[in-house]
Amino acid sequence: MSPSREPRLIRRGVFWLLLLGPLFFLSYGLANNHTAGRSDVGSLVFGWESRMPLWPWTIIPYWSIDLLYGLSFLLPRTRQEMDRHALALLTAQLISVSCFLLWPLRFTFERPELGGVFGWMFDVLMGFDKPFNQAPSLHIALLVIIWTMFARHVQRQPWRWLMHGWMALIGVSVLTTWQHHFVDVPTGALAGFACVWLWPHRGQLPWQQVRLARDAKRWRLALFYTVGGLLCAVPAVAFGGVWLWLTWPAVSLALVALNYAVLGAGGFQKCADGRLSNAANWLLAPYLAGAWVNSRLWTWRHPQADEVCDGVYLGRIPGRGEQFAAVVDLCAELPCHVQHSAPTQAASAVGYACFPTLDLIAPESPLLHQAAVTIERLRSQGPVLVCCALGYSRSASAVAAWLVLTGRCSDARQAEALIRKARPGVVLHSAHRQALQQLGTQP
């Protein structure tokens, strides 16, 4: 059941539309007119695009985004969701228009004369739109933001599938109406997901979590991922063509570097249900694929979780077929697909708790204290899996904290010895031991 709507939201939505509408036409039109007078406007088009069909009827889904833009302001349930949706749309506009002015591109195909209703719709469009505002496609950036809003609120079938189908058709229409070249589409999607990541519909905003890392190891890892991002970006810029796809892993690794340097685990936007936000999933997809493969390669000889004692298991992020009554998850960078062993257990939130921690970084003592208390609480539901990407470090320190705080072990050294007996590959460094030694100072 969806939450009730806060009062006066419709009025607030109308206010945002009255603000964003004129701003859109003014900034878009000015960028068009300015670029039309420049002599240094290039183009970026692949040879295969000459075979792209022109489907005049797709001008209908192309135009429909204007209607969906307005309707999207009817969906938010809270002022925060409304404001952040509007700010995401505004940010997409600022990003795209800035790129149009700094790196202008021109659409190169000449559209033939079209008659009938579709031809009239094209004529109206071209009365306002010029072939200069290309990458990143503002149409696609806005589509990503609007699509995210509708996907969050349209849950009933078959309306949900119909919605997804129409949104996908809008995305295709930017090519089949000969409004954009291909490069505009992924760059527009990147801009759109960046805006959704910058303005999540709930929780803290990314820059509200900005704190310079004090741990030297975090800065070393940030540098490592920065170098990886540059190694991807250089050939993309130097060679173009198919190498441009390396822009995606470059952005992904840059965001991971930013998380280690200033944003912390919150930059991965892992939700209370174990999933990463939609925007984080797309922006980080190349890194996430590598992290998942890495976790499986390191644990392929020992994929199973190990019982430490009293129904508490230690292991890697569970796969879809692995079942536990409850899961305590310390992994920030990978989603956790919770499966319950008890069929009567209704919701994953009951048997799942997440304490996101950066990979290769020791959890802080207060977080270990919270994790330990949660492990003990969830034990009443049955077997508890305490996990991270590999099940050897972050999760091991949480189990050690549980052993000490519940009196099962007298100190961190004894807890570590018990864990190693159950799972010999455990890796706890001095930073983990120091955090465990500080547990006694926690309230």
Side-chain angles (χ1 to χ4, degrees):
M1 184 176 179
S2 60
S4 59
R5 188 191 303 272
E6 290 184 7
R8 298 182 180 177
L9 271 187
I10 300 297
R11 184 183 303 177
R12 196 173 189 86
V14 171
F15 165 79
W16 274 116
L17 277 174
L18 291 176
L19 177 64
L20 292 175
L23 184 61
F24 169 84
F25 286 105
L26 180 63
S27 61
Y28 196 79
L30 287 175
N32 253 320
N33 292 331
H34 173 75
T35 307
R38 295 175 61 169
S39 60
D40 59 343
V41 180
S43 61
L44 182 53
V45 55
F46 299 102
W48 59 266
E49 292 186 61
S50 61
R51 299 188 294 274
M52 181 65 65
L54 174 63
W55 294 341
W57 63 269
T58 54
I59 191 64
I60 295 177
Y62 185 90
W63 266 107
S64 70
I65 196 172
D66 296 324
L67 175 62
L68 296 174
Y69 188 106
L71 292 177
S72 68
F73 285 91
L74 299 178
L75 298 177
R77 297 291 176 179
T78 65
R79 291 181 60 179
Q80 182 184 81
E81 186 181 15
M82 175 75 77
D83 292 347
R84 291 186 178 184
H85 175 62
L87 289 168
L89 293 170
L90 175 60
T91 304
Q93 187 174 324
L94 294 175
I95 291 174
S96 294
V97 170
S98 297
C99 290
F100 299 157
L101 295 173
L102 294 172
W103 304 288
L105 293 172
R106 180 188 178 95
F107 187 79
T108 59
F109 297 169
E110 290 294 333
R111 189 186 300 115
E113 290 291 331
L114 299 171
V117 175
F118 300 146
W120 172 80
M121 295 179 72
F122 274 102
D123 291 340
V124 173
L125 176 64
M126 297 314 296
F128 165 72
D129 202 2
K130 307 296 181 186
F132 300 107
N133 295 345
Q134 296 297 300
S137 167
L138 181 55
H139 208 89
I140 294 295
L142 297 179
L143 173 64
V144 166
I145 299 167
I146 294 167
W147 195 342
T148 300
M149 173 62 75
F150 274 84
R152 193 160 56 241
H153 290 282
V154 179
Q155 298 295 330
R156 291 186 179 181
Q157 304 294 358
W159 302 111
R160 184 172 178 81
W161 286 111
L162 181 62
M163 178 270 298
H164 283 310
W166 190 260
M167 295 290 185
L169 188 57
I170 293 174
V172 172
S173 72
V174 302
L175 299 174
T176 57
T177 54
W178 287 12
Q179 282 292 108
H180 284 276
H181 287 306
F182 178 76
V183 71
D184 309 342
V185 176
T187 52
L190 177 62
F193 283 119
C195 294
V196 177
W197 179 82
L198 284 168
W199 300 102
H201 73 283
R202 62 186 176 190
Q204 280 191 310
L205 299 173
W207 55 82
Q208 291 176 325
Q209 306 170 64
V210 169
R211 292 178 183 82
L212 285 176
R214 293 176 294 178
D215 185 348
K217 189 173 184 179
R218 280 182 60 176
W219 283 107
R220 288 196 298 270
L221 289 167
L223 178 61
F224 171 80
Y225 285 112
T226 299
V227 171
L230 289 173
L231 290 176
C232 293
V234 168
V237 174
F239 303 122
V242 70
W243 292 95
L244 286 170
W245 284 110
L246 287 176
T247 304
W248 193 1
V251 170
S252 179
L253 293 174
L255 181 53
V256 175
L258 193 64
N259 290 342
Y260 275 95
V262 293
L263 296 178
F268 288 99
Q269 294 189 347
K270 192 163 186 176
C271 305
D273 60 3
R275 295 178 296 179
L276 272 62
S277 72
N278 189 41
N281 265 320
W282 281 100
L283 292 173
L284 293 168
Y287 165 79
L288 296 177
W292 180 261
V293 171
N294 179 70
S295 73
R296 267 34 195 173
L297 288 176
W298 276 99
T299 58
W300 74 277
R301 291 183 181 274
H302 192 90
Q304 72 275 15
D306 299 298
E307 184 176 9
V308 177
C309 72
D310 296 340
V312 173
Y313 288 74
L314 179 61
R316 68 184 188 181
I317 283 276
R320 293 185 182 274
E322 301 172 66
Q323 295 183 345
F324 289 88
V327 174
V328 176
D329 177 13
L330 279 87
C331 182
E333 72 276 10
L334 292 175
C336 182
H337 303 286
V338 180
Q339 301 252 348
H340 296 289
S341 56
T344 57
Q345 201 152 327
S348 61
V350 175
Y352 176 79
C354 185
F355 300 92
T357 308
L358 292 171
D359 188 24
L360 301 176
I361 302 299
E364 294 183 350
S365 187
L367 184 143
L368 289 178
H369 188 279
Q370 295 175 38
V373 171
T374 303
I375 293 169
E376 182 65 17
R377 175 175 58 83
L378 292 178
R379 273 197 332 111
S380 62
Q381 299 182 16
V384 177
L385 171 66
V386 185
C387 65
C388 57
L390 306 182
Y392 288 119
S393 188
R394 290 170 285 181
S395 52
S397 60
V399 172
W402 168 73
L403 290 170
V404 172
L405 289 178
T406 59
R408 289 173 170 82
C409 291
S410 59
D411 56 26
R413 184 181 298 274
Q414 186 181 9
E416 183 177 347
L418 180 59
I419 293 170
R420 287 189 185 280
K421 183 178 179 181
R423 195 169 175 86
V426 162
V427 178
L428 293 179
H429 298 297
S430 58
H432 296 92
R433 298 187 184 100
Q434 183 178 359
L436 290 169
Q437 290 168 1
Q438 295 172 354
L439 285 173
T441 65
Q442 303 303 314

